[in-house]
């Protein structure tokens, strides 16, 4: 235990020396700040590229509840596709957003109906739920329309989103993690 404590203390002292050196060397500080900005902007560009490629405002979602178990677990990441080339079919897992609510819902299509205008209406249900989703829809809404759908699940990455769930359950941990990551980028020697 003493060896681990000593190692951590040496690492912290080394990082403090690096920060003091960088504060004096404005050119290095600027370079590290630009590196951090490049990482942030690269992530934003990647996100925008995924939005265009998948035609979805939210191309990647994390499953936050157990309503779709056992098919999709809490903490799984879903990669969505919202192309309108093929019709949504019964049995597909879709992600939809209800008017007036911020968090999208991941459920399976239970019924699909065409109305006389050629518009498709859908009814959804979570695999682990006893009843359909009409109780979740907006007041007076009995069916989902195509514009309510954010996309269909094309790829499932099991448990890859557990970090997001932990950050939602413990919000203070989010700020600590962001601070540590920024600190590591700013003090990186390479």
């Amino acid at each position: 235990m003493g060896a681990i404590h000593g190692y951590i203390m040496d690492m912290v002292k080394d990082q403090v020396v690096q920060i003091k050196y960088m504060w004096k060397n404005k050119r290095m500080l600027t370079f590290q700040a630009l590196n951090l900005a490049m990482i942030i902007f690269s992530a934003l560009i990647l996100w925008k590229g995924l939005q265009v490629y998948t035609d979805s405002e939210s191309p990647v979602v994390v499953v936050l509840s157990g309503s779709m178990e056992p098919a999709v677990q809490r903490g799984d990441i879903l990669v969505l596709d919202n192309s309108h080339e093929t019709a949504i079919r019964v049995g597909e897992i879709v992600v939809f957003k209800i008017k007036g609510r911020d968090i999208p819902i991941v459920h399976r299509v239970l019924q699909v109906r065409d109305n006389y205008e050629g518009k498709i209406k859908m009814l959804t249900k979570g695999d682990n739920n006893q009843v359909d989703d009409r109780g979740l829809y907006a007041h007076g809404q009995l069916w989902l329309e195509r514009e309510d759908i954010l996309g269909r699940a094309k790829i499932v990455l099991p448990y890859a989103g557990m970090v997001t769930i932990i950050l939602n359950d413990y919000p203070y941990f989010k700020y600590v993690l962001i601070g540590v990551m920024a600190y590591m980028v700013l003090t990186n020697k390479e």
Side-chain angles (χ1 to χ4, degrees):
M1 186 71 166
I4 294 173
H5 183 267
Y7 174 75
I8 291 173
M9 291 307 295
D10 288 342
M11 189 173 70
V12 169
K13 287 178 187 176
D14 184 45
Q15 294 297 326
V16 168
V17 168
Q18 279 295 109
I19 290 174
K20 286 180 181 178
Y21 174 73
M22 224 182 338
W23 192 253
K24 291 177 185 175
N25 186 347
K26 299 300 183 195
R27 185 177 193 166
M28 182 184 266
L29 181 65
T30 303
F31 177 74
Q32 293 298 73
L34 288 173
N35 272 342
L36 179 61
M38 187 175 67
I39 290 169
I40 292 169
F41 288 126
S42 295
L44 290 173
I45 289 169
L46 178 66
W47 183 259
K48 278 297 186 187
L50 278 173
Q51 284 181 325
V52 169
Y53 181 73
T54 62
D55 195 24
S56 177
E57 71 181 64
S58 184
V60 177
V61 295
V62 176
V63 179
L64 298 176
S65 76
S67 66
M68 280 299 293
E69 291 179 355
V72 180
Q73 304 290 322
R74 184 174 193 254
D76 290 355
I77 288 182
L78 302 178
V79 179
L80 306 180
D81 180 31
N82 197 27
S83 62
H84 295 265
E85 295 164 0
T86 58
I88 293 177
R89 297 180 308 270
V90 171
E92 285 189 296
I93 296 174
V94 295
V95 177
F96 59 93
K97 200 165 183 183
I98 302 298
K99 294 167 188 73
R101 295 193 187 162
D102 293 332
I103 299 175
I105 299 171
V106 178
H107 281 174
R108 191 177 304 276
V109 175
L110 190 63
Q111 290 180 23
V112 177
R113 295 218 173 138
D114 279 330
N115 67 6
Y116 62 92
E117 298 170 345
K119 283 191 170 186
I120 294 176
K121 296 190 178 262
M122 293 160 272
L123 179 64
T124 56
K125 177 185 173 294
D127 290 355
N128 203 20
N129 293 348
Q130 298 299 317
V131 295
D132 62 40
D133 291 342
R134 285 188 171 133
L136 297 175
Y137 300 161
H139 181 72
Q141 183 179 11
L142 298 177
W143 299 88
L144 290 176
E145 295 183 3
R146 185 63 177 97
E147 53 267 8
D148 297 322
I149 305 295
L150 295 177
R152 310 173 226 220
K154 290 296 183 183
I155 299 171
V156 178
L157 303 171
Y159 300 109
M162 286 307 288
V163 172
T164 301
I165 289 178
I166 291 168
L167 294 177
N168 279 340
D169 290 349
Y170 306 102
Y172 64 89
F173 188 64
K174 182 186 326 182
Y175 302 113
V176 170
L177 185 63
I178 290 170
V180 168
M181 288 174 25
Y183 174 76
M184 297 299 270
V185 168
L186 288 174
T187 60
N188 187 4
K189 296 176 187 174
E190 297 174 10

